Amino acid sequence: MRAILTIAGRECRRLAGTPIYTFCMVVFPVAVIFFFTSLMDKGQPTDMPVGVVDLDNTATSRKLVRLLDAMQSSHVVAHYPSVAEARKAIQRNEIYAFLYYPKGTTDKLLSCRQPRISIYYSMTSLTSGALLFRDLKTVSTLGGAGVGQATLTAKGLTARQVKAFLQPITIDLHQISNPWANYNIYLSTMLLPGVIMLFIFLVTPYSIGTELKGGTNREWISCANGSMVKALAGKMLPQTLIFLAVMYAYMFYVFDILHFPHPGGAGRLLLLGLLSVLASQGFGIFAFALMPSLRFSMSVCSLWGVLSFSIVGSAYPVLSMDTPLQALSWLFPLRHHFMVYQVSVFNGFPLVCAWPHVAALVAFALLPLPFLSRLKREVTEYVYLP
């Protein structure tokens, strides 16, 4: 224990004397936390710009345009004289979508001749495209429903009969755990831990590689009396405490201050934070043991961390991916962090329901153990080549 504490004190002096550690371990993660949570503080994008091409220009079409403008996600910013002008506006990124009413739309609608209106929207941004398509489709449907309601009422049907005819099936929608459909809750709980784990991926091999680069590797191992376990334990101890403080500060901010739902409770969050930090450090040590080069090991960890955001399964379900990609997803610690959070914290199921992913995080934390002898040989015999 004395050797571990000696190395830990030595590591604290190295951390304090190198500004890059302060920025990568504290400043950048904290800045990213506030950036992403404030970027999506409204939950969903609102008042996205849309246009209208209203060649019909009747009271009915103008009423539908006002209804579109009143919706939360849409804001009518311009009227265009033709489809070509509106299309150019989308290409110039001035609007995200537009609604086209051809001449004679109202006349055909009132005479039940099925008028054709057109919806144009950009799917360059998946979120904006999906939300605006929903609003445009709703407005288009309400136009026909309004005329149908007036016609049926004129024929003597009661309001209850009209409603049953226009909407024969009523949907009772329940969005479990996130009834607000808040994108901040969906995305920040994946992006922010992923960024913190990415910094752990990078700092861990960097701290070991700089020992070789600076020629202090033999001094480091001698302080541990030749024990690689003590050397790693002492070096990782201050980093673990700092990253745990950052991870728990993130959890306190989003779950206690921003009130993100977490029916699983604080105990599972604390366990998940600990396992995620240790798993990320274990992967970083493993990467350096395989490639005892500061440049190569950090490149691999950077690549692995960035790929984690694509294969984590929050934006595109892993079960819908190809079979090889489903198998590959087990090699990313962020995937297991997300699954434990989703199953046991977000949905409140017992922790045993996510035991394969808990076991995977523990396996990542213990991953360096079979490579300790190789790492010791690299630390004591390796000659750094710039």
Side-chain angles (χ1 to χ4, degrees):
M1 182 59 66
R2 182 178 300 176
I4 293 175
L5 294 178
T6 300
I7 298 172
R10 175 180 177 274
E11 185 66 17
C12 289
R13 291 190 293 271
R14 290 173 64 89
L15 297 179
T18 309
I20 192 172
Y21 285 115
T22 304
F23 281 95
C24 290
M25 299 175 72
V26 179
V27 177
F28 290 153
V30 171
V32 167
I33 290 171
F34 285 107
F35 173 76
F36 278 111
T37 52
S38 61
L39 183 67
M40 298 179 287
D41 60 341
K42 294 183 180 180
Q44 284 189 358
T46 58
D47 294 331
M48 291 180 286
V50 299
V52 174
V53 180
D54 187 6
L55 301 184
D56 193 44
N57 196 26
T58 61
T60 300
S61 63
R62 290 193 295 269
K63 179 181 179 180
L64 293 176
V65 171
R66 291 193 297 270
L67 180 61
L68 176 63
D69 191 40
M71 291 186 171
Q72 181 181 8
S73 302
S74 305
H75 176 50
V76 178
V77 297
H79 289 70
Y80 299 96
S82 65
V83 172
E85 291 295 327
R87 178 178 59 83
K88 291 179 181 178
I90 286 185
Q91 292 174 338
R92 291 192 298 266
N93 205 33
E94 296 174 357
I95 57 175
Y96 291 146
F98 69 89
L99 187 61
Y100 170 50
Y101 290 112
K103 189 175 181 60
T105 298
T106 303
D107 291 339
K108 292 181 179 179
L109 187 62
L110 295 176
S111 59
C112 298
R113 287 183 289 158
Q114 291 185 326
R116 184 186 298 270
I117 66 174
S118 300
I119 296 172
Y120 296 84
Y121 60 99
S122 173
M123 287 298 289
T124 304
S125 173
L126 184 62
T127 301
S128 64
L131 293 176
L132 290 177
F133 171 74
R134 182 193 63 186
D135 288 356
L136 294 171
K137 186 176 180 181
T138 300
V139 168
S140 304
T141 304
L142 290 177
V147 174
Q149 182 181 14
T151 303
L152 294 173
T153 303
K155 291 181 178 180
L157 274 70
T158 64
R160 183 181 181 89
Q161 291 172 325
V162 171
K163 183 177 180 180
F165 181 82
L166 295 178
Q167 191 179 16
I169 298 176
T170 301
I171 299 175
D172 189 11
L173 179 63
H174 298 273
Q175 297 184 121
I176 299 175
S177 299
N178 187 6
W180 318 274
N182 190 324
Y183 280 78
N184 202 4
I185 295 174
Y186 282 132
L187 296 178
S188 292
T189 50
M190 179 275 295
L191 288 173
L192 299 181
V195 171
I196 296 174
M197 294 170 73
L198 174 61
F199 280 116
I200 300 175
F201 280 176
L202 296 175
V203 169
T204 301
Y206 176 81
S207 63
I208 301 176
T210 50
E211 295 278 5
L212 275 67
K213 183 178 180 179
T216 59
N217 48 321
R218 291 181 175 83
E219 173 193 341
W220 169 42
I221 199 69
S222 64
C223 291
N225 301 321
S227 172
M228 199 66 232
V229 175
K230 296 179 182 178
L232 283 176
K235 175 171 280 295
M236 291 296 111
L237 180 60
Q239 297 182 28
T240 302
L241 295 178
I242 294 173
F243 279 122
L244 274 178
V246 172
M247 181 70 79
Y248 289 154
Y250 142 75
M251 290 180 172
F252 174 79
Y253 175 65
V254 299
F255 294 108
D256 194 71
I257 297 179
L258 298 184
H259 302 293
F260 283 16
H262 55 293
R268 297 176 188 177
L269 281 172
L270 296 176
L271 176 62
L272 179 59
L274 176 62
L275 290 177
S276 300
V277 170
L278 295 180
S280 302
Q281 289 181 320
F283 184 86
I285 297 171
F286 165 74
F288 190 87
L290 287 185
M291 290 164 290
S293 167
L294 180 62
R295 183 188 313 148
F296 290 152
S297 58
M298 289 189 66
S299 297
V300 169
C301 288
S302 176
L303 175 64
W304 217 250
V306 171
L307 287 178
S308 300
F309 295 103
S310 300
I311 207 167
V312 67
S314 61
Y316 190 86
V318 170
L319 294 178
S320 298
M321 298 180 184
D322 293 337
T323 303
L325 292 178
Q326 294 184 31
L328 187 64
S329 68
W330 284 84
L331 303 180
F332 293 85
L334 181 58
R335 167 64 179 168
H336 304 291
H337 170 97
F338 178 72
M339 288 303 297
V340 174
Y341 162 76
Q342 184 184 55
V343 173
S344 295
V345 178
F346 185 68
N347 288 313
F349 293 116
L351 195 62
V352 69
C353 296
W355 74 265
H357 302 284
V358 173
L361 289 174
V362 173
F364 274 109
L366 301 178
L367 191 58
L369 293 182
F371 301 91
L372 288 180
S373 58
R374 175 187 174 90
L375 183 60
K376 181 179 179 180
R377 184 170 63 254
E378 293 166 352
V379 170
T380 55
E381 301 176 5
Y382 182 79
V383 178
Y384 177 79
L385 297 176

